[in-house]
Amino acid sequence: MTTNKNNLTTSWGAPVGDNQNSMTAGSRGPTLIQDVHLLEKLAHFNRERVPERVVHAKGAGAHGYFEVTNDVSKYTKAKFLSEVGKRTPLFVRFSTVAGENGSADSVRDPRGFAVKFYTEEGNYDLVGNNTPVFFIRDAIKFPDFIHTQKRHPVTHLKNPDAVWDFWSLSPESLHQVTILMSDRGIPATYRHMHGFGSHTFKWVNAEGEGVWIKYHFKTEQGIKNLTEEVGTKIAGENPDYHTQDLYEAIEKGDFPAWKLYVQIMPLEDADTYRFDPFDVTKVWSQKDYPLIEVGRMVLNRNPENYFAEVEQATFSPGTLVPGIEPSPDKMLQGRLFAYADAHRYRVGANHNSLPINRPKAEVHNYQRDGQMRFDSNGGGSVYYEPNSFGGPQETPENKTTAYPVSGSADSTAYDHNDHYTQAGDLYRLLSEEERTRLVSNIVGSMKQVTKDEIKLRQIQHFYKADPEYGTRVAEGLGLSVPQEV
Ligand code: NDP
């Protein structure tokens, strides 16, 4: 059918006769309900927003590719990592965590670092942050933690009391709090930060042998950060500073790139390592498990439509391909459910069929129907399994590998509770100037807390990480380190 692209149509494709004047009874109105073009236009406008993400609402995205630069096939059978030189298209979304969709980019907050690899075996989502650790290590605490980062139910203001109360009562957060309050808490741009898978994952090779791994994306642009003062100034002058920077860099051909590395731990080390390797509040020392190069990610194409691509992109840590499996990390286990569920609610049950999420690999399954099923819905093909009609069947070689478990089904706390050594190691790794800024950032935030009890409890955590750290924060707040510590 030939249509003239310059002719305006309704969403059902009919030509529009008047798009400037609503249809009224006489020149003064009232407006007529028979103006279905007006009704559709207003009603569709009311529905232009999908619910914003509860976390990571404000973000920017870009397309690019991943190229393998080192042979890791002895560790994983994932086909997109199978040979040096192999390229896989991908889409990345960077984000802040706590702010709403229109909030400022240059705030102190972790940054989301989510990558969707469109591999030949289906999509693989690596949904991480710009920090190697997280504030909590059990998903059951996540809604409470996020409540503390959001707004007070009465004032609708951010609430430092809630933030520091929760952190001081959840000492596993200390390591991430130290990273957040350090210079890297406000990256200069999305291009000047590292990315981490944060959790431990399992890689499995063609022989079915596994290793535990952690992912590190290292920025080729170098680490650059904003001070508290500059970040605050930019937040007022240009709240979309990071979004604009990423778009403009790619637009002018200055393509940002990251090198991907993994740390690899033999399965048996998990029982004896001095930290629980599945505890996402801890890192694996790079002295124990050095970084091994895997490949290079380059972002070289901007989205053509922000809503269609960035807003409708749906990432989930459970979007895995053969050769990459979850670990028992309790935070990861919760995310395997929560992310996909968020997208079913936010974008719809068929979110994986949208162009930005649709795998390049063909999808053959028995899922049918649901809201906005906009493909052929399987047509007349067989719609149940097992069947005698030649429908798609499982491939046992792609089964997830087994691992032994033991103990009782129970609400179980972690055995390891040393939240201080690694936070202290980080403090001791900082230069004197970096320590001064870290303490100043913490004091600036904590002095807004109204209860001394909360401040004193948190000072004890800093002190246990490093006596100098705790003492300097206490001095900055005009308090003394409590005797009992
Ligand atoms: P290493 O000396 O081998 O590694 C130190 C790491 O610290 C490097 O990855 C470095 O990143 C990073 N780093 C430096 N400054 C900061 C900062 N302000 N915020 C966050 N990261 C920073 O030591 P270990 O592996 O034994 O780790 C020591 C401490 O380093 C840990 O307790 C942890 O706090 C921190 N760290 C460790 C990571 C790991 O995977 N082991 C990853 C990130 C931090 P870069 O090379 O870019 O400077």
Side-chain angles (χ1 to χ4, degrees), residues 7-8 21 67 107 124 129 142 156 170 186 189 235 306 322 332 342 374 383 392 399:
N7 288 352
L8 182 72
N21 306 293
E67 182 169 330
V107 292
Y124 173 48
N129 278 330
F142 190 75
H156 201 56
S170 307
I186 317 181
T189 80
Y306 182 87
L332 171 61
F374 47 85
Y383 50 91
K399 263 182 74 172

Side-chain angles (χ1 to χ4, degrees), residues 132 175 179 182-184 194 196 216 218 223 263 283-287 421-423 425-426 429-430 434:
H175 193 185
I179 294 177
S182 79
D183 289 349
R184 296 191 190 189
H194 297 327
F196 300 88
H216 299 242
K218 294 264 190 183
I223 291 277
Q263 288 176 284
V283 293
W284 304 351
S285 173
Q286 293 170 41
K287 294 167 198 97
T421 301
Q422 292 197 356
D425 287 345
L426 179 59
L429 176 142
L430 302 179
E434 288 174 318

Side-chain angles (χ1 to χ4, degrees), residues 315-319 335-345 348 351:
F315 300 88
S316 166
T319 300
R335 293 179 76 212
L336 294 176
F337 162 72
Y339 279 61
D341 189 56
H343 304 314
R344 284 179 212 113
Y345 161 69
H351 66 96

Side-chain angles (χ1 to χ4, degrees), residues 300-355:
N300 60 4
R301 182 161 61 89
N302 275 315
E304 284 170 22
N305 184 282
Y306 182 87
F307 181 84
E309 293 158 71
V310 187
E311 193 64 4
Q312 293 198 119
T314 59
F315 300 88
S316 166
T319 300
L320 298 164
V321 291
I324 307 177
E325 300 181 1
S327 77
D329 175 337
K330 294 179 198 186
M331 193 66 210
L332 171 61
Q333 294 276 320
R335 293 179 76 212
L336 294 176
F337 162 72
Y339 279 61
D341 189 56
H343 304 314
R344 284 179 212 113
Y345 161 69
R346 190 176 70 84
V347 185
N350 289 308
H351 66 96
N352 273 326
S353 303
L354 288 166

